Amino acid sequence: MQATFPRDKFFLIAGPCVLEDDALNLRIAETLAKLTDKVPGGVIFKASFDKANRSTPGGARGPGIRQGLVALERVKRATGLRILTDVHLPEQCGLVAQVADVLQIPAFLCRQTDLLEAAGATGKPVNVKKGQWLQPEGMLGAVEKVRKANGGKSEVAVTERGTFFGYGDLVVDMRSFSRLSELCNAPVIFDATHSVQKPGMGVGGSSGGAREFIPSLSRAAVAAGANGLFLETHPDPDHAPSDGPNMLPLNQLNTLIEKLLEVWRVTRDSAGK
């Protein structure tokens, strides 16, 4: 059985930032399902039932856990795709694990011991995003917390999503992919969406973004050793309820994946892998 986060095959985690109506969720999921034959490591649908760290009190948060899990279950049944969603509280993990195939720990919560242990204890694969303030070596403890909660059996991946550079900007150190992989002994994912975010620099205090850098940074990350790509995508990012400025338009997804697969082949072949 293929690993959820293979290290020898490129894989993709993608979807809208936050769950919307069924029509939108399924439109994106069906586009992703068409990529499954191209992406050797598999495709996972991602969407959040709650965006709990909004910049402003009125920021869109999503349908909540109960309605959100029902919506995610509909996506799974309709497309056959595996499902990933965020958890924010330890008590959410068991309920979410009944539907989701992968639990994700948001970057702001990557040091929350109770949350990490609860996610690991479900036995489901866990993706932990690196905090925007952390050096790669700072993620070892987070990974160990997840693994120990399930007797070392939990499948864990670590996601690089950029590091704060001054105020309102993020940078991606391409050395972090090999550092994270070697230290944590885990597959490393590149978050192409949140790495181009401009926190707090958008309209009305919300986060802005620079989606034009998604393709170049993604190519660089795959060449530098990233095992998979995390990407939020939407047919109309400018009108998405959350993270629109740093989301890839859905009609550009296929072209980007084809280019990344070519980068993967070239770089792995040249490295003798």
Side-chain angles (χ1 to χ4, degrees), residues 119-263:
T122 66
K124 292 295 182 77
V126 179
N127 179 32
V128 187
K129 289 194 170 183
K130 180 175 76 66
Q132 300 91 320
W133 66 94
L134 274 179
Q135 76 276 27
E137 290 73 16
M139 285 300 291
L140 179 57
V143 171
E144 289 180 335
K145 290 173 186 178
V146 175
R147 286 180 173 147
K148 288 182 179 179
N150 193 35
K153 300 176 183 177
S154 293
E155 190 178 351
V156 188
V158 180
T159 291
E160 169 61 64
R161 51 93 71 236
T163 303
F164 276 124
F165 183 74
Y167 296 105
D169 210 355
L170 298 159
V171 296
V172 180
D173 183 347
M174 293 296 160
R175 298 173 300 177
S176 69
F177 296 104
S178 59
R179 289 164 68 183
L180 284 166
S181 177
E182 292 171 9
L183 183 73
C184 299
N185 189 25
V188 183
I189 301 166
F190 175 55
D191 182 343
T193 290
H194 297 96
S195 291
V196 300
Q197 191 178 57
K198 291 183 174 293
M201 300 293 285
V203 177
S206 63
S207 295
R211 72 170 72 101
E212 64 270 21
F213 294 112
I214 289 174
S216 58
L217 283 175
S218 297
R219 293 193 299 270
V222 171
N227 303 104
L229 179 72
F230 175 101
L231 186 72
E232 290 178 347
T233 184
H234 197 281
D236 186 10
D238 291 333
H239 294 93
S242 177
D243 276 351
N246 38 285
M247 295 170 76
L248 184 79
L250 187 63
N251 62 7
Q252 297 178 19
L253 180 61
N254 186 70
T255 298
L256 175 62
I257 295 305
E258 288 179 346
K259 291 180 178 178
L260 295 181
L261 288 168
E262 182 60 26
V263 172

Side-chain angles (χ1 to χ4, degrees), residues 2-191:
Q2 179 170 286
T4 300
F5 310 122
R7 302 182 79 160
D8 60 342
K9 298 177 183 177
F10 176 79
F11 62 92
L12 173 66
I13 300 169
C17 176
V18 65
L19 285 162
E20 298 184 43
D21 58 70
D22 281 345
L24 186 283
N25 299 335
L26 289 171
R27 178 179 176 184
I28 296 174
E30 288 166 355
T31 299
L32 292 171
K34 293 176 182 177
L35 291 172
T36 55
D37 289 338
K38 290 184 178 180
V39 180
V43 178
I44 301 170
F45 177 84
K46 176 270 168 187
S48 300
F49 58 79
D50 183 16
K51 303 298 292 185
N53 60 348
R54 297 298 82 192
S55 300
T56 59
R61 288 190 58 167
I65 189 168
R66 298 287 178 178
Q67 294 182 36
L69 291 178
V70 170
L72 289 169
E73 180 67 35
R74 284 195 286 263
V75 169
K76 181 188 283 193
R77 287 200 309 266
T79 65
L81 291 173
R82 291 169 294 172
I83 300 295
L84 174 149
T85 196
D86 300 300
V87 287
H88 300 90
L89 299 167
E91 54 266 32
Q92 292 178 341
C93 294
L95 185 60
V96 170
Q98 295 178 26
V99 174
D101 301 280
V102 184
L103 276 59
Q104 180 166 274
I105 308 297
F108 282 122
L109 301 177
C110 71
R111 295 188 67 176
Q112 298 297 103
T113 300
D114 290 346
L115 178 60
L116 291 160
E117 291 179 345
T122 66
K124 292 295 182 77
V126 179
N127 179 32
V128 187
K129 289 194 170 183
K130 180 175 76 66
Q132 300 91 320
W133 66 94
L134 274 179
Q135 76 276 27
E137 290 73 16
M139 285 300 291
L140 179 57
V143 171
E144 289 180 335
K145 290 173 186 178
V146 175
R147 286 180 173 147
K148 288 182 179 179
N150 193 35
K153 300 176 183 177
S154 293
E155 190 178 351
V156 188
V158 180
T159 291
E160 169 61 64
R161 51 93 71 236
T163 303
F164 276 124
F165 183 74
Y167 296 105
D169 210 355
L170 298 159
V171 296
V172 180
D173 183 347
M174 293 296 160
R175 298 173 300 177
S176 69
F177 296 104
S178 59
R179 289 164 68 183
L180 284 166
S181 177
E182 292 171 9
L183 183 73
C184 299
N185 189 25
V188 183
I189 301 166
F190 175 55
D191 182 343

